[in-house]
Amino acid sequence: MLNVVQLSCERDDRLLFSNLSFQLGSGEILQIEGRNGAGKTSLLRIIAGFSSSLSGDIFWNDQPLSTVYADFRLDCFFLGHKPGLKLDLTPLENLVWRARLSNTIINREVLLAALDRVQLAGYEDIPCSHLSAGQLRRVAFAGLIASPARLWILDEPFTAIDIEGVSWLERLFDEHTHQGGMVLVTSHQPLNDRQGKLRKLNVEHFGEERSVDGERGQDVQG
Amino acid sequence: MNWTFFHKLGSPKWFYDISGKWLPWLQVSSLVLILVALVWGLAFTPPDYLQGNSYRIIFIHVPASFLAQSIYMMMATAAAVTLIWRIKLADMALKVMAPVGASFCILSLVTGAIWGQPTWGTWWVWDARLTSMLILLFLYIGIIALRGAIHTTEAAAKACAILSLVGVVNIPIIKFSVDWWNTLHQGATLKLTEKPSMAPEMLWPLLLAILGFYLFFTMVMVLRLRIEIISRERKTRWVKELVS
Amino acid sequence: MVRGGKMSRVDQPSMRGFSACLALIRRDLTLTFRSPGQAINPMAFFLMVATLFPLGIAPDREVLSELAAGVIWIGALLAVLLSLDSLFKSDQDDGALDQLLMSPHPLPLLVLAKVFSHWLTSGFCLTLMAPLLAIMLHLPSEAFSPLMMTLLLGTPVLSLAGSIGAALTVKVQRGGVLLTLLSLPLYIPVLIFATGAVNAAMQNMPYTGHILWLSVFLILGVCLAPLAIAGALRVINE
């Protein structure tokens, strides 16, 4: 279980958010909202453990995150803006190196089945450079499907995905939470709440109403 | 042990207030010391029996070389403090010290070249100590350039701290390899562990000059640090009150 | 197999760090094999440096054999620098670096694997090419074996030390010159001892000392550089 207590983030003298707290338990989806630059990505990256300089506390299974990084990373799948795929490798090869890095036992059948589920069956031996942006996303989702991680941290997963893909991804979330998984996701699009498991958190509510912007404006004029 | 003083030391506001009181003393004492040392050294000490009057450049060359090297050590210390305790002031110090250190490095190289011309008959020789100093200058330039290239303040701070620490591990290795490679330079003018071989009438003004240069460096650093504090803390209330 | 099933995870006590390293090395070697330009360009550069020196100085056998060790080593050094620029940057650009940072395995270990595969595709290939350049530059035959030994011991140090700079400049646009500036001070000791060994051999003097010092640098590099590289990657990606 993920427990975030009184988190604050400051980037280059700009307070993105402060006193942000939430809990994410087994079987829950949390959608992070907020306009561009509100700090959605920063929040996800802090929680994923990329940044060690933060004020506030993050607990993973009631332990401070900084003491259980390895444990946390074993159980967490992070998918950022970029799908993190090597274009010269085939989808299958990409899935294999990523699984090895996250300490997973490779099972070719499972990986092929996952590629089949993202409608990329038959593409497993074609270099990723031949795939479209949407197809690359799907390859990354195949990794998600096959991964044993319980916590999914997804930054704007709906980019380059068609409408069908969106509802498909929502079903995937439902399935994952049904099995006790957790999903932390940022998105501009409103997600459909199918089973009452979805909660939303707007980062902007934790930001200060910036007097900073006003000052900047004056700087430009002066 | 009580660490409050340490964290108080790390507070930019506290440093700004206290350094304002030090500043006039630093300014006066450093200028007086340098002036006395230079007048004494340049006008009143006897000429060297081998080098004549040309040796007098040591009153600038030696303090500059001392500072160029010790500023790098101070930067490495500040880097360690930045990485371990995450004290902002340490990073500000690291930032403002680098250009000062590089300037003393250049001063040391230039005065060395001017001294080399009458002594060795050439402006530049590929001797071990000159080469080490040149490489030290590269280390300084690298840190300054890295800070300029990274746009986020926090990332730049930690990246420069890591680079400074890598450099400080590297310095003894460089010194040792360059010594192995070539040695022509005269032995160190001053060694702390040995009785100085210099005549006392030359030694005293030199020691005064070194002390004066150190004070001058402290003054320059405090001045630059105060400017850096104001610019980085410009969003805080105390700076806004100070400025208005 | 169940449709859409999941792979099982190795239980926590048996972290398979070594297997992750092998996967990473295999991935990077496959990538180099599929688009070999990244590896071939520095080698072409190496060859070109060796061609330009006789043209720029003199085709004289005596002069060239004096300079050969230095030219080969400087060429290798610059070629390694040229190849280092994309070491972490390509991973940064496609987001693969995030996966590296999110791995439960110790980052210094993974970084060491990446540097090793970089050495295999740069320093090691340059070492294999060196005899050709040594012939072109009339290096005396007694200096061949020390040249090869210094390259074998020294080029991994170049990869390790240069990777620190590559990690620090991973987000800098057009960071090539900065990378050179950061790496050169670290390269100087290697250059001094490597060329020193070859020159000593040419004067029929013992060069074991030089070789031992290069080994010391290699051991130091393997122990310390991965920590600095991992630290730098984390800091830059915060």
Side-chain angles (χ1 to χ4, degrees):
Chain A
M1 194 184 81
L2 186 71
N3 190 2
V4 173
V5 184
Q6 302 249 309
L7 197 65
S8 302
C9 173
E10 198 181 312
R11 279 289 134 88
D12 277 327
D13 290 341
R14 201 164 69 92
L15 189 68
L16 291 178
F17 49 80
S18 59
N19 287 329
L20 190 150
S21 305
F22 68 84
Q23 285 192 343
L24 186 65
S26 192
E28 288 181 319
I29 307 177
L30 184 69
Q31 183 189 358
I32 312 282
E33 295 177 312
R35 62 185 147 81
N36 287 336
K40 299 191 294 288
T41 299
S42 298
L43 176 62
L44 283 201
R45 290 184 74 88
I46 287 174
I47 292 170
F50 285 106
S51 179
S52 56
S53 56
L54 50 101
S55 54
D57 295 297
I58 304 176
F59 297 95
W60 174 246
N61 294 335
D62 298 327
Q63 311 259 4
L65 180 61
S66 52
T67 62
V68 287
Y69 269 137
D71 230 4
F72 171 75
R73 286 178 179 145
L74 276 171
D75 225 0
C76 171
F77 191 104
F78 178 84
L79 186 59
H81 280 266
K82 298 167 198 150
L85 300 170
K86 290 285 167 193
L87 292 183
D88 280 330
L89 297 182
T90 67
L92 197 60
E93 285 167 331
N94 268 311
L95 294 181
V96 167
W97 73 257
R98 288 176 64 146
R100 277 267 157 76
L101 272 189
S102 50
N103 213 42
T104 316
I105 297 172
I106 304 298
N107 185 331
R108 208 183 137 86
E109 300 299 316
V110 176
L111 290 178
L112 285 176
L115 280 174
D116 186 36
R117 260 202 84 179
V118 296
Q119 292 159 14
L120 284 174
Y123 284 87
E124 62 267 12
D125 288 330
I126 291 173
C128 283
S129 49
H130 293 230
L131 303 183
S132 71
Q135 283 173 319
L136 288 178
R137 284 256 147 210
R138 285 163 183 276
V139 176
F141 292 147
L144 196 60
I145 292 172
S147 144
R150 278 172 63 225
L151 173 63
W152 292 358
I153 298 186
L154 313 172
D155 196 3
E156 299 292 347
F158 297 104
T159 326
I161 292 282
D162 51 23
I163 300 169
E164 249 176 82
V166 171
S167 63
W168 176 85
L169 197 55
E170 284 172 353
R171 276 201 305 280
L172 190 65
F173 290 172
D174 287 343
E175 198 178 296
H176 183 60
T177 48
H178 196 69
Q179 292 164 0
M182 295 166 256
V183 181
L184 190 60
V185 56
T186 64
S187 167
H188 292 295
Q189 284 170 271
L191 284 171
N192 288 322
D193 191 4
R194 292 160 192 271
Q195 297 161 354
K197 286 178 191 162
L198 177 74
R199 284 186 296 140
K200 296 187 180 186
L201 182 126
N202 195 326
V203 184
E204 285 171 49
H205 295 166
F206 299 90
E208 53 175 0
E209 260 322 302
R210 303 182 191 112
S211 55
V212 181
D213 287 350
E215 275 177 23
R216 285 228 174 104
Q218 281 172 8
D219 282 351
V220 173
Q221 284 159 13
Chain B
M1 190 177 162
N2 188 355
W3 284 90
T4 39
F5 92 95
F6 192 62
H7 288 283
K8 209 164 119 191
L9 204 67
S11 140
K13 182 183 183 319
W14 178 84
F15 182 84
Y16 189 87
D17 290 343
I18 194 93
S19 64
K21 290 172 200 149
W22 299 343
L23 205 54
W25 296 100
L26 278 171
Q27 280 165 331
V28 170
S29 59
S30 65
L31 289 180
V32 165
L33 266 182
I34 290 178
L35 210 65
V36 168
L38 288 189
V39 169
W40 187 356
L42 296 183
F44 294 102
T45 53
D48 186 76
Y49 71 100
L50 266 181
Q51 299 183 8
N53 278 322
S54 68
Y55 87 95
R56 291 183 200 275
I57 204 163
I58 62 166
F59 296 113
I60 296 173
H61 177 71
V62 172
S65 315
F66 262 54
L67 268 171
Q69 295 175 42
S70 48
I71 290 176
Y72 197 91
M73 294 304 146
M74 290 182 220
M75 277 170 56
T77 316
V81 174
T82 307
L83 287 180
I84 299 169
W85 288 288
R86 299 187 177 158
I87 289 178
K88 247 196 219 168
L89 194 63
D91 171 55
M92 295 186 200
L94 180 58
K95 181 181 175 186
V96 301
M97 268 194 273
V100 184
S103 314
F104 278 114
C105 217
I106 293 171
L107 184 64
S108 157
L109 285 169
V110 170
T111 50
I114 295 171
W115 191 13
Q117 171 59 20
T119 319
W120 299 326
T122 168
W123 296 103
W124 180 260
V125 283
W126 285 100
D127 139 81
R129 294 176 74 196
L130 271 75
T131 314
S132 310
M133 193 54 89
L134 187 64
I135 298 169
L136 185 64
L137 181 63
F138 291 156
L139 288 175
Y140 275 122
I141 295 175
I143 293 175
I144 297 170
L146 184 66
R147 172 138 353 224
I150 301 177
H151 300 300
T152 20
T153 321
E154 292 94 1
K158 287 180 185 164
C160 287
I162 289 179
L163 186 62
S164 314
L165 288 181
V166 169
V168 93
V169 172
N170 195 28
I171 280 179
I173 299 177
I174 291 176
K175 258 197 128 46
F176 161 75
S177 356
V178 173
D179 275 341
W180 175 297
W181 171 65
N182 194 355
T183 305
L184 185 80
H185 199 287
Q186 67 181 64
T189 312
L190 280 182
K191 277 189 184 149
L192 287 176
T193 48
E194 287 171 25
K195 198 164 169 278
S197 58
M198 242 181 154
E201 57 267 34
M202 294 178 191
L203 185 65
W204 278 111
L206 181 59
L207 287 179
L208 272 187
I210 291 172
L211 190 64
F213 266 64
Y214 267 91
L215 283 174
F216 177 73
F217 157 70
T218 316
M219 179 197 79
V220 171
M221 197 186 109
V222 166
L223 270 177
R224 288 177 57 93
L225 201 48
R226 283 163 67 88
I227 297 169
E228 183 70 21
I229 288 173
I230 291 289
S231 99
R232 278 216 209 163
E233 303 276 298
R234 63 186 179 281
K235 298 276 165 58
T236 58
R237 191 181 296 153
W238 72 270
V239 172
K240 280 180 182 163
E241 279 168 9
L242 194 78
V243 175
S244 59
Chain C
M1 200 72 225
V2 192
R3 218 170 107 89
K6 293 192 182 288
M7 291 187 287
S8 51
R9 202 178 55 224
V10 185
D11 281 337
Q12 210 209 330
S14 57
M15 291 283 275
R16 296 181 151 197
F18 191 63
S19 139
C21 286
L22 283 183
L24 210 52
I25 292 171
R26 197 175 152 182
R27 183 199 84 175
D28 281 2
L29 291 183
T30 315
L31 283 172
T32 315
F33 193 70
R34 298 229 172 120
S35 52
Q38 283 292 344
I40 289 176
N41 289 350
M43 288 167 73
F45 174 82
F46 188 42
L47 193 63
M48 261 149 52
V49 170
T51 318
L52 289 177
F53 262 85
L55 292 172
I57 296 169
D60 192 20
R61 193 188 175 98
E62 298 286 297
V63 177
L64 284 180
S65 65
E66 281 280 297
L67 291 175
V71 172
I72 292 173
W73 252 98
I74 292 171
L77 193 148
L78 294 176
V80 169
L81 268 179
L82 202 65
S83 65
L84 272 170
D85 194 29
S86 63
L87 177 60
F88 295 114
K89 209 168 262 178
S90 56
D91 280 351
Q92 170 82 38
D93 289 345
D94 55 24
L97 193 62
D98 283 347
Q99 299 301 321
L100 209 65
L101 296 175
M102 273 304 283
S103 167
H105 303 295
L107 188 57
L109 193 69
L110 300 176
V111 159
L112 193 60
K114 256 197 89 71
V115 175
F116 177 71
S117 55
H118 171 261
W119 175 73
L120 274 184
T121 55
S122 63
F124 185 63
C125 296
L126 295 175
T127 309
L128 294 183
M129 260 180 82
L132 176 69
L133 274 75
I135 292 169
M136 285 167 69
L137 297 170
H138 304 296
L139 188 78
S141 56
E142 66 267 24
F144 265 61
S145 67
L147 178 73
M148 295 304 279
M149 273 159 81
T150 54
L151 280 169
L152 268 182
L153 286 171
T155 48
V157 185
L158 299 186
S159 287
L160 283 162
S163 299
I164 301 175
L168 286 169
T169 56
V170 72
K171 276 195 178 171
V172 179
Q173 296 298 316
R174 290 183 294 280
V177 180
L178 185 57
L179 171 62
T180 312
L181 187 61
L182 300 188
S183 305
L184 277 185
L186 295 164
Y187 283 3
I188 286 167
V190 180
L191 183 68
I192 288 174
F193 281 94
T195 50
V198 183
N199 288 333
M202 277 164 62
Q203 293 159 13
N204 288 320
M205 294 204 309
Y207 53 85
T208 331
H210 296 84
I211 297 290
L212 288 179
W213 275 113
L214 281 176
S215 323
V216 169
F217 295 156
L218 181 57
I219 293 167
L220 264 181
V222 169
C223 296
L224 297 180
L227 300 176
I229 300 165
L233 286 177
R234 286 235 186 270
V235 158
I236 298 288
N237 276 288
E238 272 195 356

